Amino acid sequence: MDHWPTGRLLSTAARLVEHSWNEKLAAIGLTHAGVIAIEVLAAQGPMTQAQLAQYVRVQAQTMGKTLSRLEAHGHIARVRSTSDRRSHVVSLTERGQQAVAEAVEMERSVLAASSIDPEALRQELKSVVRELASQFATTPNNAGALVDSPSS
């Protein structure tokens, strides 16, 4: 690892953290992708599936699969939009709100056993994300959607 480029170190660390977190989240019927979706809904309120996909920067089809799993576990509800019958409005259920709180605690536990200061790491990662997002954003709104998620 002493000779690995920074990008490889970062992506390997992210995969290891995500794997550890997913193992814990499975106990409450969640995945990392599901947590992202329910955190956005908790912070922003109900929105269409397409809006949610755009907000978290994934394809609508990918979001649909994530939402199907969340719906099966009772974390979200989808109802047909009254203004556009082709779309569904996604909202968080009470069970989903509880799952958000549990997921936050589980995330903290992933790094708690290590010698890493989670808050210092978090601040550094936020700086990296903001810096890179500002370089790659095509519009100011895209940068905001990427960096202003509920866990920022």
Side-chain angles (χ1 to χ4, degrees):
M1 287 189 298
D2 291 341
H3 303 290
W4 288 7
T6 302
R8 183 174 178 195
L9 288 168
L10 186 58
S11 65
T12 300
R15 281 194 311 273
L16 290 170
V17 168
E18 186 172 341
H19 179 74
S20 176
W21 195 23
N22 275 334
E23 284 182 355
K24 293 175 185 305
L25 291 171
I28 59 172
L30 288 175
T31 62
H32 178 251
V35 169
I36 292 169
I38 64 175
E39 283 182 335
V40 169
L41 291 169
Q44 303 297 321
M47 63 181 69
T48 67
Q49 181 173 317
Q51 289 169 321
L52 183 57
Q54 184 177 18
Y55 196 90
V56 300
R57 294 178 164 248
V58 298
Q59 296 294 318
Q61 183 178 6
T62 301
M63 182 56 67
K65 291 177 184 176
T66 298
L67 294 178
S68 290
R69 181 179 174 95
L70 290 170
E71 190 172 37
H73 285 90
H75 296 123
I76 59 118
R78 290 189 273 192
V79 295
R80 193 162 302 280
S81 171
T82 56
S83 61
D84 180 356
R85 302 293 294 160
R86 296 169 296 167
S87 65
H88 288 86
V89 175
V90 182
S91 60
L92 205 54
T93 63
E94 186 175 320
R95 185 170 183 178
Q97 292 169 349
Q98 292 169 350
V100 170
E102 289 179 55
V104 168
E105 286 306 312
M106 288 177 179
E107 181 185 18
R108 286 188 185 120
S109 74
V110 169
L111 292 176
S114 72
S115 61
I116 298 167
D117 177 357
E119 192 52 38
L121 175 61
R122 197 173 149 66
Q123 294 307 317
E124 287 296 322
L125 291 172
K126 285 169 59 175
S127 294
V128 169
V129 169
R130 283 191 179 107
E131 180 68 29
L132 293 176
S134 70
Q135 292 175 21
F136 294 109
T138 56
T139 67
N141 288 341
N142 285 347
L146 181 62
V147 297
D148 291 335
S149 67
S151 296
S152 297

